[in-house]
Amino acid sequence: MYKLGIIGYPLGHSISAAIQKAGLESLGLECSYDVLETTPENLVPRIKFLKTNGYNGFNVTIPLKVAASLFLNEIDDYANIAGCVNTVKITEEKDLLGYNTDIYGFKKSIPDDINLAGKRAAILGTGGAARAATVGLSEKGIQYIDFYTRNIINAKQTIDYMRSQFPNIEFSVYQIQNIRSLKETSIIVNATPIGMLGYMADQMPLEERDFDNIDDNTLVFDIVYNPIRTLFLKHAEVRGLRTVEGLDMLVYQAQHAIQIWTGETPDVNLMKIAALRALK
């Protein structure tokens, strides 16, 4: 019997339980997956609770991805570079091992026939999702990354950190309000929550006019998964661009979390069906 859960706040919108249960059941494993709303102020007692109540692991979401890493015995290379964790395994000795499966989910979601080696990427936003996208793109061989942000000064620490981690990539940062030409960009990633249900769902991270400056072969990736087809992706499709939904990344990162907890690979198709049902 696997005892698992998710911590973060708020969690009313989370569909992780549906996805993870489907994955674990596809392996024939008995499991429980608890949704445990946890504010930053209650993080310490929550972790103590998880360690002392028989849990095998848990997922971590906003706003605890960075703070939770401070209480772990070990973190993997992805979590170290990204500066945050989203999956924790609790060993029999009650050690906490931290992982970042968002990077795996991001990479896995990019279609196999897309070659980004030596190409240019545009990342909208500079938060934790942007860091995960940066790591994933670095492993795809990207050579240039342009960050677009509302506040360049606040983004400086993230940009400097990424430059130190990936010296072979040329980084630039621009005001998102003044998008330069995207003609040379091979992939555009929305790493902001803009367009998410309940948070600016009727808006996009780009202006409509910006789509006129995108090359016809550019891949448009939206990390937002609810709604599945964001306004951003709809405009990209009208423009005739190829798109990737955030739901793909969510499901693949969840699949990898189960691999970490159990050592087995669950059925990702059943997990996606469960996700789609949970979003209806």
Side-chain angles (χ1 to χ4, degrees), residues 120-131:
R120 181 180 295 275
I123 299 179
L124 313 178
T126 54
R131 286 192 178 202

Side-chain angles (χ1 to χ4, degrees), residues 7-57:
I7 63 172
Y9 185 85
L11 292 178
H13 66 283
S14 177
I15 60 172
S16 291
I19 298 172
Q20 299 288 19
K21 284 180 180 177
L24 289 158
E25 288 170 2
S26 76
L27 296 172
L29 299 173
E30 288 188 32
C31 68
S32 64
Y33 189 94
D34 301 326
V35 178
L36 305 167
E37 285 206 332
T38 306
T39 62
E41 295 77 16
N42 292 319
L43 178 58
V44 173
R46 178 64 77 196
I47 287 180
K48 288 181 180 177
F49 171 82
L50 291 162
K51 288 180 69 172
T52 57
N53 282 272
Y55 283 83
N56 303 101

Side-chain angles (χ1 to χ4, degrees), residues 113-165:
D113 63 326
I114 298 291
N115 179 14
L116 296 175
K119 303 292 181 60
R120 181 180 295 275
I123 299 179
L124 313 178
T126 54
R131 286 192 178 202
T134 298
V135 180
L137 290 170
S138 73
E139 296 194 356
K140 289 288 186 178
I142 210 79
Q143 188 169 354
Y144 308 93
I145 294 181
D146 298 326
F147 286 103
Y148 290 92
T149 180
R150 295 190 182 279
N151 193 318
I152 290 179
I153 294 175
N154 289 349
K156 185 178 185 303
Q157 184 177 1
T158 296
I159 306 302
D160 289 345
Y161 178 74
M162 287 299 150
R163 284 176 175 147
S164 70
Q165 294 294 316

Side-chain angles (χ1 to χ4, degrees), residues 1-270:
M1 173 77 176
Y2 280 89
K3 191 173 182 180
L4 306 161
I6 181 170
I7 63 172
Y9 185 85
L11 292 178
H13 66 283
S14 177
I15 60 172
S16 291
I19 298 172
Q20 299 288 19
K21 284 180 180 177
L24 289 158
E25 288 170 2
S26 76
L27 296 172
L29 299 173
E30 288 188 32
C31 68
S32 64
Y33 189 94
D34 301 326
V35 178
L36 305 167
E37 285 206 332
T38 306
T39 62
E41 295 77 16
N42 292 319
L43 178 58
V44 173
R46 178 64 77 196
I47 287 180
K48 288 181 180 177
F49 171 82
L50 291 162
K51 288 180 69 172
T52 57
N53 282 272
Y55 283 83
N56 303 101
F58 56 96
N59 288 126
V60 185
T61 189
I62 296 171
L64 305 176
K65 288 187 176 185
V66 175
S69 63
L70 302 175
F71 300 93
L72 307 181
N73 298 92
E74 295 179 23
I75 59 174
D76 73 341
D77 290 341
Y78 278 170
N80 186 43
I81 295 172
C84 58
V85 300
N86 74 328
T87 299
V88 176
K89 180 177 181 177
I90 303 176
T91 69
E92 292 183 2
E93 296 75 26
K94 302 305 178 183
D95 286 338
L96 301 180
L97 311 182
Y99 304 84
N100 188 309
T101 65
D102 285 334
I103 297 166
Y104 173 89
F106 177 82
K107 285 197 310 174
K108 187 75 174 175
S109 300
I110 296 175
D112 292 336
D113 63 326
I114 298 291
N115 179 14
L116 296 175
K119 303 292 181 60
R120 181 180 295 275
I123 299 179
L124 313 178
T126 54
R131 286 192 178 202
T134 298
V135 180
L137 290 170
S138 73
E139 296 194 356
K140 289 288 186 178
I142 210 79
Q143 188 169 354
Y144 308 93
I145 294 181
D146 298 326
F147 286 103
Y148 290 92
T149 180
R150 295 190 182 279
N151 193 318
I152 290 179
I153 294 175
N154 289 349
K156 185 178 185 303
Q157 184 177 1
T158 296
I159 306 302
D160 289 345
Y161 178 74
M162 287 299 150
R163 284 176 175 147
S164 70
Q165 294 294 316
F166 304 104
N168 295 327
I169 297 177
E170 185 176 318
F171 293 96
S172 301
V173 58
Y174 304 96
Q175 289 278 358
I176 199 168
Q177 297 92 327
N178 300 302
I179 293 284
R180 67 199 210 78
S181 175
L182 296 167
K183 286 290 186 183
E184 297 179 2
T185 302
S186 297
I187 179 171
I188 300 172
V189 182
N190 175 33
T192 78
I194 296 174
M196 183 173 68
L197 190 68
Y199 183 89
M200 305 172 76
D202 59 343
Q203 297 185 38
M204 298 186 295
L206 298 183
E207 300 290 339
E208 284 191 43
R209 64 175 181 272
D210 295 324
F211 285 89
D212 295 333
N213 296 320
I214 299 175
D215 184 82
D216 292 344
N217 297 313
T218 299
L219 180 68
V220 176
F221 192 126
D222 199 338
I223 285 176
V224 173
Y225 67 84
N226 190 9
I228 299 170
R229 311 303 294 167
T230 60
L231 194 60
F232 181 54
L233 291 184
K234 288 177 180 178
H235 272 76
E237 289 174 343
V238 169
R239 173 67 174 70
L241 302 171
R242 194 169 176 183
T243 62
V244 175
E245 305 166 351
L247 191 65
D248 291 340
M249 177 176 169
L250 180 70
V251 171
Y252 281 125
Q253 69 80 23
Q255 179 193 44
H256 194 48
I258 291 176
Q259 290 174 322
I260 289 168
W261 291 325
T262 70
E264 300 183 54
T265 302
D267 189 324
V268 74
N269 292 320
L270 291 178

